Amino acid sequence: MIKIDIWSDVRCPFCYIGKHNLETALKEFEAREEVKVEWHSFQLDPNLETQPELSTIDYFKKTKNISEDQARQMLAGAKEMGAKAGLNLDLENSILANSFRAHQVIQLAKENDLANEIEEALFKAHFSERKNIDEIETLVKIGKSVGLKASEVRSALEEETFAYAVKQDELEARNIGVRGVPFFVIDSKYGVSGAQPSATFLEVLKKVKNG
């Protein structure tokens, strides 16, 4: 069995792109049935305040101290990368939202073997459907769409049942030196940082398989 550990944040477009590039590599990998993927939580900005009324452009202008043109160029670059991975990213209209609650739903999904499904659904909700991933009722609907029970999602969020698990994932990331996401650890040996092309993932997988 080849294990791939992934640290990711669902409000990170490069994490979404990296996920799809890895999946493309796995489709070409002859031993894909031997691969197990485990998702781990990582918040790029734990202190981010959810602000549905603030545009992504204005947020980047403020936090990175750049012009509107520079902000639009940044988003255009990420959108182009997404398109190459087969994704339609509506970055300018995504809702500025803290991802801590979304990560708690991911932890719940992990216990139900639905982690990959919830990751995809949350990425799509945030980057393509302009949904607020910090809103409990929205997260309940997303969870239900992948097979989780609505009552379990709502209860987990209201009681913060999985808050500790999120923090533990982030602590583990710090302990192994992860400073940004996406970050992939393949077979506990090889670290791959960023939204690398599918060819890069395939090369590492073949290296692991061939010893």
Side-chain angles (χ1 to χ4, degrees):
M1 184 64 67
I2 300 172
K3 187 181 178 188
I4 303 177
D5 292 280
I6 309 173
W7 277 266
S8 168
D9 193 353
V10 289
R11 53 175 302 269
C12 163
F14 301 106
C15 294
Y16 195 11
I17 295 166
K19 176 182 184 294
H20 275 253
N21 287 346
L22 172 63
E23 289 170 348
T24 297
L26 287 173
K27 288 176 184 177
E28 299 178 34
F29 185 51
E30 60 182 15
R32 56 185 170 273
E33 297 301 324
E34 299 174 23
V35 176
K36 178 184 178 183
V37 173
E38 181 167 351
W39 289 92
H40 300 274
S41 297
F42 188 103
Q43 280 191 284
L44 284 169
D45 187 357
N47 300 314
L48 175 70
E49 181 183 348
T50 296
Q51 301 175 76
E53 72 286 350
L54 183 65
S55 75
T56 304
I57 295 292
D58 288 339
Y59 169 72
F60 275 111
K61 284 167 59 179
K62 180 180 178 181
T63 57
K64 297 186 181 296
N65 194 28
I66 58 177
S67 68
E68 181 167 332
D69 283 345
Q70 289 173 314
R72 290 188 183 280
Q73 286 174 12
M74 285 177 59
L75 296 183
K79 184 177 178 66
E80 184 178 348
M81 280 186 67
K84 290 178 180 177
L87 301 171
N88 180 25
L89 305 181
D90 186 12
L91 299 173
E92 291 189 16
N93 293 310
S94 61
I95 292 179
L96 193 65
N98 188 289
S99 60
F100 187 58
R101 281 178 172 158
H103 280 293
Q104 293 177 66
V105 178
I106 291 168
Q107 296 292 336
L108 170 63
K110 282 172 68 172
E111 288 202 345
N112 290 271
D113 294 322
L114 292 168
N116 201 65
E117 290 82 355
I118 197 68
E119 288 278 352
E120 184 67 27
L122 286 166
F123 277 129
K124 186 177 180 181
H126 182 59
F127 288 114
S128 301
E129 299 174 346
R130 204 172 183 272
K131 292 182 179 177
N132 185 344
I133 59 169
D134 188 31
E135 192 173 65
I136 289 180
E137 289 308 312
T138 296
L139 289 170
V140 168
K141 289 177 182 177
I142 295 171
K144 188 177 177 181
S145 74
V146 303
L148 293 173
K149 293 181 179 179
S151 58
E152 288 185 359
V153 178
R154 187 176 289 105
S155 175
L157 290 172
E158 290 175 349
E159 298 175 18
E160 296 201 327
T161 311
F162 294 92
Y164 179 75
V166 174
K167 296 295 184 182
Q168 284 301 108
D169 270 0
E170 294 176 333
L171 177 61
E172 184 179 356
R174 288 195 295 272
N175 288 342
I176 65 173
V178 177
R179 295 291 178 265
V181 288
F183 193 84
F184 305 79
V185 177
I186 301 175
D187 203 38
S188 300
K189 297 176 183 177
Y190 301 97
V192 179
S193 178
Q196 298 294 330
S198 59
T200 300
F201 289 114
L202 186 59
E203 180 183 350
V204 177
L205 287 166
K206 287 181 177 179
K207 186 182 295 185
V208 171
K209 178 64 177 175
N210 296 329

